Structure formats: structure tokens, C-alpha cells
Amino acid sequence: MNTIAGAQRERGKRHPAVARSLATADLVRITAQHVSSEGRCEECGALVTAAKPLCPRAAAALRELARRDGTADTSSRTIRFSVATLLRSASAHRPTPEGRCFRCGFVYTAKCQDCPQLRIIRRELEARGMIPLTAPEPGVGTCAGKSASWELTGQNLASWQRAIDSCHECPILTQCRTTLRNRIAGGEPPQDQIVAGAAFDYYGNHVPADRLRTYAVLRSRTPRGPANHVAAGGDAA
Ligand code: SF4
Ligand SMILES: [Zn+2]
Ligand SMILES: [Zn+2]
């Protein structure tokens, strides 16, 4: 057996497993560092071709990002880059005439015109209020794939207000309100979340819109303390 080739094959097998064990921010960092240029990865030196434009590490990281796409793990709490870095990175993820992402090599399809990394970056910029929220598709909630922007933790008053306003424009608001009523009736209200245009504190108490500002101030002073009860008690939906 050719031991060098065998070792290379073993190394190749390990990349997906390693990618699965990494935090999303680390995966994004790998795809940012392992850039292919003139037939090689600038970071690790692996050979790349037009058919395989990414080195094995970058390819494994990208596959893992695609698998996690839309999950809580890709929320704003896991991505801590400056807005300038995110915008610079977003501009590099653009289509080539060959139908691939210029930056990461993702092959677009008729249904998928954004690479996974660009979707993560866009959600992060949306959550920070740097770009407008993506227009919802018919029959799909505006919050789909952006759940972090509808959570109270990790966001500020402006972000909460943006999420509430988006709920009011959501194509499935009526359905969402019905589901919310059922959840409340069943004793399982949302916690630390905005649902159907209504905010709920850590304990599932509705925070009325006119007390949201006060609640944000109290909460910032006393995270997870009794102050969180101050704004509770309104009727949702
Ligand atoms: S109305 Fe419901 S589904 Fe629509 S954005 Fe708000 S929480 Fe999401
Ligand atoms: Zn590389
Ligand atoms: Zn890309």
C-alpha cells in the first residue's frame, strides 16, 4: 500500500468530522482564510481546479455551514465580526459567469441563488439593522431562518421593534396569531422571544408594546432578575 497516499486519504476523511466539531464562527473564518488563487489554496497550498475550486478544509467548512444554515447555531450570537468585515465579505460572494460563487465556489441552482455563507452574513447584517430584512416568500414567515433576530437576548430595543414591525407585514401573521393563542392556552407561551408581533420575557409573560422601552432599560440593568417581571402582564395577540 502507498502509505503517503493512504495518509492523505485519511487526512481527507477527517475534514468533515473536524468541521462538524467547530463553532460556526470558526467555519466562517476557515472559508475566509482558505482562498484559492492560481490553482492553489493560499492558506494550505492544496491544489484546486475549476471543477473543485476549494481546498478540502474550505470545502468541508462550507458543507458544514450549508448543513447548519438557518439553525440557531448560525445566529448573531455566534458570528462576531465587524460590520465592515461582513460587508466586505458579502461583496466577495458574488456570482461568476459560470454560475458559481466567486468567493466560495458554491454552485447556484434555479432555486438557490445565494451561497450558504452569504445567507449567514445577510442574516447577521439584518439582525444588526444594517440592511432591510429580506422580503418574505408567500406562505413563509418573515422570521424563517432568522430566528435569532426574533429573540430578545442578544438584540436591543431597535432590533425588537424591527422584528415586531416585520411580524405585522408577515404573510402568515393570522396563522401565527392562532398558533400563539393555542400555545398560551396550553400553558406554553413563547419565552424570551417575539412572536406574532408580541414580545415575551424570559418567563413567558407578554411585554406590552408601550412598556417595551422600560423593559429594555430594566433588563439591561438587571439581566434575568426580578426586574423582568416589571413589564409582564399584558394580553398578547
Ligand atoms: S408573524 Fe409569526 S411567522 Fe411571521 S415573522 Fe412574526 S413570528 Fe415569524
Ligand atoms: Zn486551504
Ligand atoms: Zn459564497
Side-chain angles (χ1 to χ4, degrees), residues 8-222:
Q8 282 172 342
R9 267 198 303 278
E10 282 308 305
R11 267 203 302 277
K13 277 183 200 164
R14 279 207 297 271
H15 290 303
V18 170
R20 273 194 296 278
S21 69
L22 293 176
T24 298
D26 291 328
L27 295 173
V28 173
R29 196 167 296 117
I30 287 171
T31 58
Q33 287 169 340
H34 289 253
V35 183
S36 303
S37 172
E38 298 181 356
R40 280 192 182 275
C41 169
E42 288 180 355
E43 181 72 12
C44 67
L47 288 174
V48 296
T49 63
K52 287 190 175 179
L54 297 176
C55 71
R57 278 198 74 188
L62 189 69
R63 264 196 300 275
E64 182 58 18
L65 281 173
R67 193 183 68 76
R68 293 183 196 178
D69 189 24
T71 66
D73 195 33
T74 54
S75 74
S76 56
R77 273 175 275 164
T78 59
I79 313 287
R80 292 293 176 204
F81 295 114
S82 71
V83 168
T85 302
L86 289 170
L87 289 172
R88 201 166 45 243
S89 188
S91 68
H93 290 270
R94 59 180 186 272
T96 63
E98 294 79 37
R100 284 175 174 272
C101 170
F102 171 77
R103 176 67 187 78
C104 66
F106 178 82
V107 180
Y108 301 116
T109 63
K111 284 189 173 171
C112 189
Q113 294 290 315
D114 289 333
C115 66
Q117 219 176 321
L118 184 58
R119 284 198 291 274
I120 291 171
I121 293 169
R122 181 182 296 130
R123 273 200 297 275
E124 179 60 14
L125 290 168
E126 286 176 355
R128 295 190 198 181
M130 301 309 298
I131 57 172
L133 289 165
T134 315
E137 293 171 30
V140 178
T142 311
C143 60
K146 307 166 202 156
S147 55
S149 304
W150 268 252
E151 287 169 12
L152 301 194
T153 296
Q155 308 294 345
N156 56 25
L157 178 63
S159 313
W160 299 349
Q161 201 54 61
R162 237 183 346 263
I164 289 169
D165 292 346
S166 301
C167 282
H168 291 134
E169 302 293 322
C170 177
I172 61 166
L173 175 60
T174 308
Q175 187 185 327
C176 191
R177 274 189 178 139
T178 305
T179 309
L180 174 61
R181 276 192 211 106
N182 292 340
R183 283 181 69 179
I184 294 172
E188 291 188 353
Q191 293 175 310
D192 199 32
Q193 228 183 345
I194 289 159
V195 176
F200 293 84
D201 69 10
Y202 292 122
Y203 309 105
N205 298 311
H206 176 224
V207 185
D210 61 355
R211 302 196 64 178
L212 210 54
R213 181 176 294 280
T214 310
Y215 175 67
V217 172
L218 291 170
R219 184 178 158 118
S220 67
R221 285 189 196 143
T222 321

